[in-house]
Amino acid sequence: MLLISPIHAQRLLGGETAIQLSGAIPTNSTDAISENFSFQLGVITNTKKGNYWKFESAYQRKTFDYKNQKLPYEFYNGNIGYFLQTFSNYQKNFLVYTGISGIAGYEVFNNDTSLLQDGATLNNRSGFVYGGKATLSIETYLSNRWVLFAFSEVNYIPKSELAQWQSQFGIGTRIFIN
């Protein structure tokens, strides 16, 4: 009987919950990774059809050169999104997801200081922003409860003082807890 019907582990069950940790690099960064990075911590809940909901908080830091100074930009945000499985192999160990999320957060320019060292004034103002995010994620199961993934994201934040369109790419891991 085992030769006729191969046994596969059950993956992508509805109601499974996972903790996700990921890191990313903004694509318009010009400096070292130590000064331009993003970290995300999220909770994933699978649906019955192999799709999932993601609830995530994130921190992003970028620096910009101004004369011989580095001006920091920080973005604290949270997002909620739905991810649709667009491709998977038969064993469900290689998957591609596309997702869309709502995003809201607070951006901070130059540690909330508008006066620069040379006397110039920074016109960008810190404040609350919101928008949307589109994500492409390539995922692989390393075991039944452990996923490794790579992703690319494009944020659309219409009221941002930095840029309306911001993108990043990164890697992460997900561990199912039930």
Side-chain angles (χ1 to χ4, degrees), residues 132-146:
K133 178 190 306 192
T135 305
L136 176 68
S137 178
I138 299 171
E139 306 180 1
T140 185
Y141 274 80
L142 300 177
S143 72
N144 288 334
R145 295 199 170 270
W146 186 21

Side-chain angles (χ1 to χ4, degrees), residues 2-169:
L2 290 175
L3 297 175
I4 296 171
S5 172
I7 298 173
H8 297 286
Q10 293 183 353
R11 294 182 177 157
L12 306 174
L13 299 175
E16 283 186 312
T17 303
I19 303 293
Q20 174 175 300
L21 179 65
S22 56
I25 301 170
T27 55
N28 58 348
S29 300
T30 56
D31 292 330
I33 293 173
S34 64
E35 296 176 357
N36 297 280
F37 58 86
S38 175
F39 289 109
Q40 298 92 18
L41 178 63
V43 175
I44 305 299
T45 302
N46 284 348
T47 65
K48 291 182 181 180
K49 295 188 178 188
N51 304 323
Y52 62 83
W53 284 95
K54 179 168 73 169
F55 307 89
E56 184 176 66
S57 62
Y59 169 76
Q60 182 182 77
R61 179 180 170 85
K62 297 181 188 180
T63 58
F64 297 95
D65 292 329
Y66 173 73
K67 296 186 177 178
N68 53 353
Q69 305 178 53
K70 293 204 180 287
L71 303 178
Y73 166 80
E74 296 173 306
F75 184 37
Y76 304 89
N77 67 78
N79 59 77
I80 298 172
Y82 187 75
F83 287 71
L84 181 66
Q85 185 183 126
T86 54
F87 173 80
S88 71
N89 64 351
Y90 179 69
Q91 288 95 5
K92 304 281 188 201
N93 57 7
F94 179 78
L95 304 111
V96 177
Y97 283 91
T98 54
I100 189 162
S101 305
I103 186 170
Y106 193 80
E107 61 183 6
V108 179
F109 292 93
N110 196 31
N111 301 320
D112 223 7
T113 305
S114 59
L115 188 60
L116 302 178
Q117 290 178 350
D118 65 353
T121 301
L122 183 65
N123 290 331
N124 300 62
R125 299 184 198 280
S126 301
F128 178 77
V129 293
Y130 57 89
K133 178 190 306 192
T135 305
L136 176 68
S137 178
I138 299 171
E139 306 180 1
T140 185
Y141 274 80
L142 300 177
S143 72
N144 288 334
R145 295 199 170 270
W146 186 21
V147 177
L148 183 66
F149 61 94
F151 64 93
S152 178
E153 295 178 334
V154 177
N155 297 346
Y156 174 66
I157 306 171
K159 301 291 183 185
S160 175
E161 292 277 329
L162 179 64
Q164 286 186 345
W165 296 95
Q166 302 175 27
S167 60
Q168 61 184 5
F169 63 92

